[in-house]
């Protein structure tokens, strides 16, 4: 199982904060493709340029491998400070 | 290495500039330089008049990412104490959002580390601002200049 | 241009960090960034253990030179308020020597202007430190790195 | 008349804070040469690399012209802040 979280604008447009997917997914790219295949608004807002990704609370690239139990978060570019 | 000389907090409560400054200098006779940055809610952003902000974050990740940023700063400069506070929740016009305070023997390390921490916080720490304006609410867009600034280091 | 938004003081009296910070942010809703630098008497310099400092200056020139430095900073960055205080006379270990506080809309201008003011103060404002150590008194030698830092701008 | 001031270490080694010279001096270099011709410690401590100069409270080079009434200050590299 992979726990998937969405934050900020992404949480709002997807109407989803959290979901669980059985997988398996080789890497972040595979998980992102699966989510984007759900059609709009997923297709648009999960594009790699628009949604950053963190695995187990650390920013990662799409090539990051995934294993069961990972927590994957998608979110827009950050705007704190 | 980040260590016991660091104080990092993510909180709804306001912070007190004087208390933070005192915590940087008290019983710290070796450091001759203290640099602080404070970020506040200003009345306009990207051409719009701001009434208030709401700050969302990713709780499990926020403190960890701030600790990593401070640790990276410590690996680059000889620092004394570091204090980093970021507020969350709803913040009104003029309220304090973020504080970074750094002490060091000499001023250059303190200046550079303080600016580095802010640059990386702006591009890597999971906080998002939603602005309340007279025309409604909207999420703040990330600024290209922030990525440019973080890319300098 | 240096203007009514500037406060520049050369004084024997100590200053209060909180009062200076409040003076930078009070009724100032347009500025989202405040950077402060504070310099303190630290316990060692150039390998010697310091007991206290005495700061001499050239009274007729001091304030004029600080005003010029602040004016130069204003000509380079869009700044809100600037506060600059330099103490003179005898200062004990741990005491505050100098304060520079700058507000601006964005943080980069505030950081750079604050550091610029300190770099130029260190190389162009007529202050001289005499250190009291266990081995006697001596005048502090100017540091090459200060000239290098001022030369960056 | 030129009013000449010395500060910090220079004031101490010359045992002099202030003096007045009738002049005239064309420029700072001429005044500096006159002072250095007094022998030690003037010769050593007023060398251009060791003593900065301000005319009427502004840092200047040795080529700065002088006129009667000017206030000229010599001092070591500054160490405030």
């Amino acid at each position: 199982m992979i726990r998937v979280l969405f934050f900020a604008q992404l949480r709002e447009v997807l109407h989803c904060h959290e979901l669980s997917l059985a997988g398996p997914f080789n890497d972040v790219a595979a998980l992102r493709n699966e989510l984007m295949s759900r059609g709009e608004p997923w297709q648009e807002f999960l594009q790699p340029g628009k949604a950053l990704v963190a695995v187990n609370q650390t920013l990662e690239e799409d090539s990051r491998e995934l294993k069961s139990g990972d927590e994957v978060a998608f979110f827009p570019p950050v705007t704190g400070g | 290495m980040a260590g016991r000389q660091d104080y990092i907090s993510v909180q709804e409560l306001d912070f007190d500039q004087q208390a933070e400054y005192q915590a940087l200098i008290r019983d710290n006779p070796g450091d001759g330089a203290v640099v602080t940055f404070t970020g506040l809610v200003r009345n306009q952003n990207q051409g719009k008049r701001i009434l208030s902000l709401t700050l969302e974050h990713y709780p499990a990740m926020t403190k960890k990412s701030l600790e990593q940023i401070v640790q990276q700063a410590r690996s680059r400069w000889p620092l004394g104490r570091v204090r980093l506070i970021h507020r969350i929740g709803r913040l009104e016009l003029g309220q304090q959002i973020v504080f970074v305070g750094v002490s060091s023997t000499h001023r250059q390390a303190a200046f550079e580390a303080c600016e580095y921490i802010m640059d990386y916080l702006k591009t890597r720490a999971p906080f998002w601002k939603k602005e309340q304006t007279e025309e409604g609410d909207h999420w703040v867009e990330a600024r290209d200049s922030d990525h440019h600034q973080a890319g300098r280091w």
Side-chain angles (χ1 to χ4, degrees), chain A, chain B:
Chain A
M1 292 290 278
I2 303 283
R3 187 179 181 212
V4 185
L5 301 172
F6 304 98
F7 288 96
Q9 188 183 22
L10 220 52
R11 174 177 51 72
E12 288 187 349
V13 296
L14 302 178
H15 300 287
C16 177
H17 174 45
E18 178 174 349
L19 52 83
S20 291
L21 293 178
F25 301 97
N26 280 341
D27 53 23
V28 168
L31 171 60
R32 198 195 287 263
N33 282 337
E34 156 70 19
L35 293 167
M36 286 176 69
S37 72
R38 299 180 172 203
E40 299 303 345
W42 302 76
Q43 177 76 28
E44 180 186 347
F45 284 92
L46 286 174
Q47 288 172 44
K50 285 196 170 179
L52 304 182
V53 65
V55 178
N56 301 333
Q57 303 92 43
T58 299
L59 281 175
E60 299 284 1
E61 302 294 323
D62 272 26
S63 57
R64 170 64 149 79
E65 288 180 16
L66 294 182
K67 61 178 195 309
S68 185
D70 282 344
E71 177 176 297
V72 181
F74 292 95
F75 44 75
V78 303
T79 57
Chain B
M1 284 267 297
R4 65 187 179 79
Q5 297 282 60
D6 299 328
Y7 175 83
I8 296 172
S9 174
V10 178
Q11 61 190 46
E12 290 192 25
L13 281 174
D14 198 8
F15 53 84
D16 179 57
Q17 183 84 7
Q18 179 70 358
E20 294 310 314
Y21 175 67
Q22 286 299 326
L24 288 164
I25 67 168
R26 190 183 302 121
D27 301 325
N28 186 13
D31 285 343
V34 174
V35 174
T36 74
F37 173 83
T38 313
L40 306 114
V41 182
R42 63 173 187 279
N43 60 8
Q44 62 89 24
N45 189 30
Q46 296 169 344
K48 288 206 173 60
R49 190 157 189 82
I50 306 305
L51 305 173
S52 63
L53 286 183
T54 307
L55 265 147
E56 177 171 332
H57 74 133
Y58 175 7
M61 178 174 171
T62 316
K63 204 163 174 195
K64 186 171 164 179
S65 74
L66 297 180
E67 284 167 356
Q68 283 173 346
I69 293 166
V70 170
Q71 200 164 346
Q72 283 162 16
R74 283 198 176 276
S75 73
R76 298 179 63 132
W77 292 279
L79 305 179
R81 299 181 187 171
V82 178
R83 296 182 76 82
L84 170 50
I85 301 171
H86 203 298
R87 293 178 69 194
I88 51 172
R90 186 180 168 104
L91 301 174
E92 305 297 325
L93 180 60
Q95 285 199 294
Q96 300 180 130
I97 305 169
V98 60
F99 176 87
V100 183
V102 176
S103 75
S104 187
T105 313
H106 294 293
R107 75 186 184 286
Q108 195 179 1
F111 270 116
E112 292 185 357
C114 190
E115 194 169 6
Y116 174 96
I117 288 168
M118 275 309 300
D119 284 354
Y120 275 81
L121 186 158
K122 284 263 182 185
T123 54
R124 299 188 66 85
F127 295 98
W128 301 273
K129 286 194 189 102
K130 193 176 212 175
E131 292 174 343
Q132 286 83 52
T133 75
E134 286 165 353
E135 301 153 43
D137 296 2
H138 64 266
W139 292 98
V140 175
E141 303 251 333
R143 296 168 69 213
D144 286 343
S145 62
D146 286 328
H147 285 268
H148 176 73
Q149 282 174 234
R152 293 178 302 170
W153 301 101

